[in-house]
Amino acid sequence: MSTSTQIGQSSALFADVIRERRSVRVYDKSVRLSHEEIKELLKEATLAPSSTNAQPWRFLVIETEELKAKLLPIAYNQSQVTEAAAVIAVLGDMEGYKQLGDIIGESVKRGYMAEDTAKSYVERVVNMYASLPEERMHKVLHIDGGIVSQQLMLVARAHGYDTVPMAGYDETEFKQAFGVSDRYVPIMLIALGKAAKPGHPTTRLPIEDITFFNEMPAN
């Protein structure tokens, strides 16, 4: 098989994934995922980019019936919370940058970066993060958390599973109920499982209405 044919097939498969992904709200309660399956999905999702490669995302997987029932009223009684195989809380770690030395150190071991370059890079970036105002750090975490969340939803679809992102929940109650300290910033909840009812197809704005080349319109 030629390289061009392989690339064409990969592109077609990716197009299928992004076109078939739906926000599913009705799940098959009998479908459960093993810890290994969930970890494999998350492993692929975390191939997503992040600011300075700090990878500040953290995941709380809520999968027991007891804990999903506990989450239900916090998430305003959205039925997918208890029907889905799991609900993954995507969190941003305010102190995630402190692991940058380990991350970059692994890059050095693998020959991706020179040791002297890595040392100065880590010192510079860690000092930068340490001096950021809380509001700015929250923005970084929401950007990185949003990127990894979208990648997780596409990875799940590629593996035959369904998802729906949820911003509708009480963050304060969630943190209290699940022992999430102020070190972690809730980004979103993602229900994960197998659809019992397909998600509704949706329409998108014409690309001509939302894309501007080189300059913005006057109004």
Side-chain angles (χ1 to χ4, degrees), residues 81-102:
V81 168
T82 52
E83 292 177 354
V87 176
I88 299 176
V90 181
L91 309 170
D93 187 350
M94 292 283 287
E95 298 181 12
Y97 67 90
K98 293 181 180 180
Q99 288 187 273
L100 194 60
D102 295 332

Side-chain angles (χ1 to χ4, degrees), residues 177-190:
F178 290 90
V180 178
S181 74
D182 288 339
R183 170 177 167 173
Y184 302 99
V185 178
I187 306 299
M188 71 177 70
L189 304 177
I190 300 176

Side-chain angles (χ1 to χ4, degrees), residues 10-174:
S10 297
S11 298
L13 291 173
F14 180 70
D16 290 342
V17 168
I18 61 174
R19 288 171 179 156
E20 292 173 4
R21 186 211 60 78
R22 295 283 186 273
S23 291
V24 169
R25 292 177 173 81
V26 182
Y27 288 83
D28 183 342
K29 294 181 181 180
S30 69
V31 174
R32 290 293 176 262
L33 280 74
S34 69
H35 286 189
E36 288 306 313
E37 287 177 297
I38 292 174
K39 286 192 290 185
E40 185 59 34
L41 296 178
L42 291 172
K43 184 178 180 180
E44 292 186 13
T46 57
L47 294 174
S50 61
S51 176
T52 69
N53 197 30
Q55 304 166 47
W57 41 63
R58 305 292 182 262
F59 308 100
L60 174 61
V61 180
I62 300 167
E63 57 171 355
T64 69
E65 297 305 316
E66 178 184 3
L67 290 179
K68 288 191 291 182
K70 184 179 182 180
L71 178 60
L72 184 62
I74 296 171
Y76 308 133
N77 296 308
Q78 297 178 76
S79 60
Q80 62 265 27
V81 168
T82 52
E83 292 177 354
V87 176
I88 299 176
V90 181
L91 309 170
D93 187 350
M94 292 283 287
E95 298 181 12
Y97 67 90
K98 293 181 180 180
Q99 288 187 273
L100 194 60
D102 295 332
I103 294 169
I104 301 303
E106 187 62 30
S107 293
V108 172
K109 289 180 184 178
R110 298 186 185 191
Y112 302 158
M113 186 181 290
E115 187 170 359
D116 55 344
T117 301
K119 183 179 179 180
S120 62
Y121 175 78
V122 171
E123 289 177 355
R124 184 174 69 256
V125 173
V126 167
N127 288 336
M128 181 270 292
Y129 276 123
S131 65
L132 282 183
E134 185 175 287
E135 181 181 353
R136 176 59 181 157
M137 179 64 85
H138 277 225
K139 184 175 181 179
V140 171
L141 296 180
H142 275 88
I143 291 172
D144 289 348
I147 291 171
V148 79
S149 294
Q150 181 62 63
Q151 183 130 317
L152 174 58
M153 290 184 278
L154 293 177
V155 166
R157 180 84 293 273
H159 284 267
Y161 293 108
D162 299 288
T163 58
V164 60
M166 293 179 285
Y169 62 98
D170 189 306
E171 289 187 11
T172 301
E173 287 190 22
F174 169 76

